[in-house]
Structures are given as structure tokens and as C-alpha cells.
Amino acid sequence: MGLLLHAEGNGASTSQRLVKSFAPATGELLGEIHAATRDEAHAVVERARRAQAAWGVLPIEERCERLLRLRDALVDRVEEIVEVISKECGKPRGEALTQEVTVTVDLLTYYCKNAPRILAPRDIGLHLLKHKASAVHYAPRGVVGIISPWNFPFVIPMGDAVAALVAGNAVVIKPSEVTPLTIAKAKEIWDSTGLPEDLFGVVYGFGEAGQALIESGIQKLVFTGAVDTGKRVAAACGANLVPCVMELGGKAPLIACADCDVERTARAIVFGGFVNAGQVCISVERVYAHETIHDKLLSRVRDLTKELRVGNPEGDGVDVGAIIFPKQIEIAEKHIQDAVSKGAEIVTGGKRRPDGQFFEPTVLANCNHSMTVMKQEIFGPVVPIQKVSSEEEAIRLANDSHLGLNAYVFTKDRAKGKRIAARIDAGNVVINDVLLNYAAAEAPFGGVKQSGYGRIHGEDALREMCETRQVLSSRVPEPSKDPFWFPYSGKSYRWQLRALRALFSRGPLLERLGKLL
Ligand code: NAD
């Protein structure tokens, strides 16, 4: 690629900071984009606000119909998108296709089909004010800001954007400074659809650009990123009273029960631990294996891990691609050193590769909670395994974490799986599978504890993209004066007292009605 793209084509000067995109697999400079200044970021939001004014008043069916043009364009140009994601992230093309584009297109399809029902005004029966009718209406908020990370540079911002747009908002995306070209491609495709260009704004840049977005007068923010950044972003949202969704880090435990299908569990651990080179917020980040199946599971995980082909994802037959930048390799190395110094055994892997920004898929055995690898997010291709003597112990250890995004339980007894799921502190618990919950468009996704708050996907997240407006009206002809209005009197006070006692005392209805007299 190597081209210089201008953010929003607004003539930013070359003396400004540049966002540079490098291919992690080769080190090649793929492109550079000017980082937006604060004023430029605010101008993008202002244009988005003007575009939203016309978009938000369209009937929802019309908005959905028009947004299907985006789906058509994404499907037509899917291989361009896959190529840029794969290059910019160093991930295999199949992962870019299925986990990013397919999930986005499916979410768009789901929302376009169901939004008219989900966002239809809802009548609410009032139990006390029976003479009134109440309905909740869902109105667009305005401009929704989206700040996103590098590990899924397409599906994360595009999924949030789709929900916001269907609900009648404009969006302004601040993509990660590490992977700006993926959203540049999405923007190019958006602009080709004939949909209003300013409705889909992009602000390229670093943390300051994200900060400028939060302070630009947006009506909501969806943030996805690290816990520490999330705390700063949530504070800035608080200072500006911007409602926000926080999608932060994860430390997904996988509990392998004594009665699990060992082959499926081993394959799930290897896929869930090493997909996207482990750089996934819902990766399998720690395994608790029951002692009766531990050795068999460990040896199968080791053998399957050794079969993985690591390298430049442009080549055919690569399972595990590159690590996004050197610091992420150093984090993995530190965890491994700490674990080994405390008695962990490297079963396979354990080293960076000499031929580029790659790390050998690593399995650690004999792990315990004194090790950072079991407690802190790794975000790399390292799977630590701890032997446990009971499911109780596994549940206790799974909950011994400041994070709570995904969790996994493997057992042939589904009822038991559900009982265990009910006791795990996580936003999402998956039984006998890994990662797949993110692809369930209808189901809410998000974390508890320091993994964040708020949800994306599903009905609630779509409604959350809206302001709720209650409309209260009368079901009967209104009198010229209500009994609670002015002027107050001792008589009306005493009547209200009797009414309270009649309504809220215990006992048979007739007896309570007697309190009115
Ligand atoms: P990061 O926190 O470094 O960056 C995320 C985004 O925040 C980037 O666009 C960055 O430019 C921006 N940013 C940084 N400082 C900012 C500030 N002060 N104000 C506003 N914006 C600011 O995260 P990352 O390294 O890109 O992503 C990895 C992290 O994201 C991991 O912890 C991972 O678990 C998490 N993640 C969570 C989910 C989820 O759904 N919960 C999904 C993917 C990744």
C-alpha cells in the first residue's frame, strides 16, 4: 500500500503527527494517515451531527433498507477488507473473513431485520395510575463515538457502528492508531454506497484524538480497550456526562471437568488459546483441569499445539500469525519467566521466533495463582494449565480474578455445566465451546468486574443506542383539577393518608378499602 491518506481529506499538513501502519508479519510500512487535531476531530463530529438530523427522522424501516446497501457493498468487496485486516494485524485470512467480516455482516442483517420490532414504541401498563396510558419511545441519541482497539480492527468498531446507525444515530469512529487502514477501507466502502458520507465519520489518531472525541459533544461512547485506558476514558466520560459502554480486558478461565470430552476440550483450548495469536479479549487465558483427566488433556493439548503452523499469514497453511508489536512479545516472555521461576513447566513453545514478530504457541503446566500468568491478562499465545482436585476448587479459582468477561465450562453433563455457569462471575459463560458467543447477534455481550460495564449486541444494546422517551396520556376525560393539585387543605391531606393505608396495608381487599372511609 504505502500511500499517504489524509484524514477526512481536510488538508491536514504533513508537519502534523502521522499514524503509521506496519505489517506485523513483515515490518513493511503499509500506510500513513494524518492524526486529527482536536479542532479537526470536533469538525468531524459537527458534520456527523448535521447528517444525523436528516437520518434520525427517517422511518426505521427506511433506515434499515438503506443500510442493507452497506451490507451489499461489504459482501461485494469482502476480499479487499480481508486483505487489509490480514496485513495490518498479521492474522490469517480465514480469521479476518469469519471472525470479522461475517460477524459484522450478520449483525447488520440481524439488526436491519429486527430493529423495527425492537425499537417500536412499547406500551407500559401502569399498576397505580390506571387512568393513564404510558408508552416508551426510542429516539436516536445523536452522535455516537466509538473508540476501538487493534486486535479486531473491523468487527469491533463496525459492529458498534451498525447498531448506532440502525437506531438513527451518526457515528464517529476513532480506530486504534496501530490499525487505521482497516477503518480507512470501511470508510471508503461506506462512501461508495451513496449513504450520507458525514453520517459515518472517522477520526484517526492516538489517545488525544480519542480524548478530543469524548469532549466533542457526543451523546454516547462505546469504548473497547485495556482496563487502564478504560479507567481514564470512563473518567473523561464522567467529566463530560457522556454515557458509555466499557468493553475491557479479559482473563477467561476454562474449567475442564472430570467428565469432559477430552478430545473436544483439548481442541477447544488450542483454538481458543491461539486464535489471533492469543490476542483476543475472550481467549482461553487459563485452564483448570480436573486431576482425573489432567494428564491426558495436557498431553493432547501439547500434541495439537505442536502441530500449529506459525508464520506470515500471507502464506498458505498458516494457523497462527504475527504478534502485533514487540511489547506484546515482551509481556508474554515476562509471564513465562515469572511462571517458570515459581515452578511452572514449559510443555511446548516458550520462545519468540528468530524469523520475525512471531511467538511460539506456548503451553505451561504446573501453574498456580502465585503466578502472574494465571492472574493478569496475557494477550498472547500462552495457555497456562493448573491441576485441580474438584470442581469446587475450579470455580473458586475461576472467580479469583479482577476480570470477568468470558468463561468456559467443559462437561458431558449439560445440566451440571449450567449449574457451574450460574456460579461464575463473568458476563458470558459458554458450555463446551469457545469464543462463539460473540457471534450470537441476538445475545448481549460484555463484562463484569473490571472487564467493564454495559453491553453490545442483542436487543438491549440496540435500545441503549437510543434515548428512552416516556409519553404519558390520559385514558379518561381529564377533570379541570386533579385532587393533588393546589390548593392544599387538611381535608385532602387526610384523604391521601387514608388512600396510602388502603393501598399499601396487608389484608383482604375489602378490609383495606374500609380504611378509605
Ligand atoms: P488500548 O486501551 O491501548 O487502546 C484502545 C483505544 O483507546 C485505542 O484506539 C487508543 O488510541 C484509545 N485511547 C488510548 N488512550 C486514550 C485516552 N486517554 N482517551 C481516549 N482514547 C484513548 O487497547 P488496545 O491495546 O488497542 O487493545 C487491547 C485491549 O483491548 C486488551 O486489554 C483487550 O482485552 C481489550 N479488548 C476488549 C474487548 C471487549 O470486547 N471487552 C475486545 C477487544 C479488546
Side-chain angles (χ1 to χ4, degrees):
M1 228 178 254
L3 75 169
L4 186 69
L5 298 165
H6 288 258
E8 297 299 315
N10 53 15
S13 92
T14 46
S15 63
Q16 286 178 327
R17 284 176 83 191
L18 291 175
V19 176
K20 296 187 179 195
S21 172
F22 293 95
T26 61
E28 180 196 354
L29 177 65
L30 297 172
E32 299 176 337
I33 303 185
H34 290 290
T37 63
R38 186 183 172 78
D39 287 350
E40 286 163 351
H42 285 206
V44 174
V45 172
E46 211 31 61
R47 290 202 297 277
R49 187 179 313 291
R50 284 199 290 272
Q52 191 275 332
W55 178 252
V57 295
L58 289 176
I60 187 160
E61 292 79 5
E62 177 70 28
R63 288 201 299 264
C64 291
E65 190 53 42
R66 292 193 194 182
L67 281 172
L68 286 177
R69 277 191 236 155
L70 175 64
R71 185 182 70 172
D72 297 342
L74 295 177
V75 172
D76 279 353
R77 297 177 64 179
V78 57
E79 291 203 276
E80 290 172 50
I81 307 169
V82 164
E83 167 151 359
V84 67
I85 299 173
S86 172
K87 271 212 161 118
E88 202 170 37
C89 284
K91 66 172 77 177
R93 282 195 294 265
E95 290 183 5
L97 172 65
T98 309
Q99 295 162 18
E100 302 232 40
V101 186
T102 306
V103 173
T104 303
V105 165
D106 178 60
L107 196 63
L108 177 53
T109 305
Y110 161 71
Y111 275 141
C112 286
K113 189 170 166 203
N114 293 285
R117 170 185 60 79
I118 298 168
L119 298 184
R122 216 158 36 94
D123 288 336
I124 297 185
L126 302 178
H127 77 279
L128 180 62
L129 308 178
K130 288 195 180 301
H131 58 306
K132 297 288 181 186
S134 171
V136 168
H137 294 246
Y138 296 96
R141 287 180 183 265
V143 181
V144 174
I146 295 164
I147 300 181
S148 52
W150 48 262
N151 64 331
F152 286 91
F154 187 79
V155 69
I156 290 177
M158 290 303 284
D160 296 335
V162 158
L165 290 161
V166 165
N169 304 288
V171 295
V172 175
I173 298 173
K174 206 302 277 173
S176 167
E177 58 273 36
V178 185
T179 52
L181 300 183
T182 300
I183 277 300
K185 175 59 71 181
K187 174 69 176 150
E188 180 194 318
I189 294 176
W190 171 276
D191 289 350
S192 75
T193 60
L195 287 155
E197 291 189 8
D198 290 340
L199 200 59
F200 187 104
V202 183
V203 168
Y204 299 95
F206 301 84
E208 309 90 79
Q211 184 75 26
L213 179 60
I214 296 166
E215 292 166 354
S216 66
I218 54 173
Q219 276 68 47
K220 181 181 170 99
L221 180 80
V222 185
F223 173 81
T224 309
V227 173
D228 285 348
T229 318
K231 288 179 182 172
R232 287 198 295 279
V233 168
C237 286
N240 290 275
L241 287 181
V242 174
C244 57
V245 173
M246 288 283 141
E247 292 287 350
L248 309 178
K251 186 72 192 162
L254 183 148
I255 296 177
C257 296
D259 65 347
C260 70
D261 173 339
V262 171
E263 181 64 17
R264 181 169 175 83
T265 309
R267 287 185 180 277
I269 290 170
V270 173
F271 176 69
F274 302 124
V275 65
N276 201 18
Q279 304 165 114
V280 186
C281 57
I282 52 178
S283 286
V284 173
E285 281 248 344
R286 48 196 172 122
V287 175
Y288 302 103
H290 194 276
E291 58 191 11
T292 53
I293 46 98
H294 173 273
D295 293 358
K296 201 171 156 203
L297 183 70
L298 182 63
S299 87
R300 197 63 192 121
V301 168
R302 179 199 57 209
D303 293 350
L304 289 166
T305 303
K306 282 185 168 174
E307 286 171 15
L308 295 174
R309 297 153 302 175
V310 182
N312 183 344
E314 279 184 50
D316 271 341
V318 165
D319 304 307
V320 180
I323 304 296
I324 193 78
F325 39 59
K327 187 170 161 240
Q328 220 51 51
I329 293 185
E330 287 160 22
I331 292 172
E333 285 174 338
K334 266 197 187 145
H335 281 302
I336 294 169
Q337 278 160 17
D338 174 78
V340 169
S341 75
K342 291 170 182 162
E345 177 202 343
I346 300 175
V347 177
T348 181
K351 300 189 293 293
R352 65 173 77 201
R353 291 248 306 240
D355 55 342
Q357 219 161 269
F358 304 103
F359 199 86
E360 292 176 356
T362 300
V363 179
L364 300 176
N366 208 18
C367 295
N368 63 57
H369 273 220
S370 72
M371 302 168 183
T372 60
V373 79
M374 296 299 282
K375 300 282 283 179
Q376 294 167 15
E377 191 178 45
I378 309 164
F379 226 58
V382 180
V383 172
I385 301 183
Q386 177 165 358
K387 191 193 281 188
V388 293
S389 53
S390 68
E391 282 149 17
E392 281 305 313
E393 186 186 2
I395 294 168
R396 180 177 60 74
L397 290 168
N399 288 337
D400 178 23
S401 174
H402 64 294
L403 299 170
L405 192 55
N406 257 28
Y408 306 109
V409 182
F410 280 73
T411 167
K412 284 187 189 141
D413 178 347
R414 284 198 207 116
K416 181 174 82 181
K418 288 179 191 170
R419 283 198 301 276
I420 294 175
R423 296 177 57 198
I424 294 184
D425 303 334
N428 324 275
V429 186
V430 182
I431 299 166
N432 294 337
D433 215 324
V434 285
L435 309 174
L436 200 65
N437 56 307
Y438 197 88
E442 299 84 349
F445 176 86
V448 301
K449 300 199 257 188
Q450 295 207 3
S451 289
Y453 46 79
R455 294 291 180 266
I456 58 169
H457 300 177
E459 300 195 356
D460 291 347
L462 188 66
R463 293 197 183 106
E464 276 295 311
M465 285 291 179
C466 301
E467 301 285 6
T468 52
R469 180 185 300 136
Q470 188 203 195
V471 177
L472 189 78
S473 58
S474 202
R475 299 171 63 203
V476 293
E478 293 97 347
S480 54
K481 171 186 169 308
D482 270 14
F484 310 101
W485 292 2
F486 301 135
Y488 297 147
S489 69
K491 189 174 160 204
S492 71
Y493 177 78
R494 284 188 295 281
W495 187 89
Q496 288 169 41
L497 210 51
R498 287 199 299 277
L500 176 136
R501 289 189 176 123
L503 283 167
F504 303 115
S505 306
R506 293 172 190 256
L509 181 65
L510 269 180
E511 193 179 298
R512 288 194 283 133
L513 284 177
K515 294 181 197 281
L516 276 174
L517 305 172

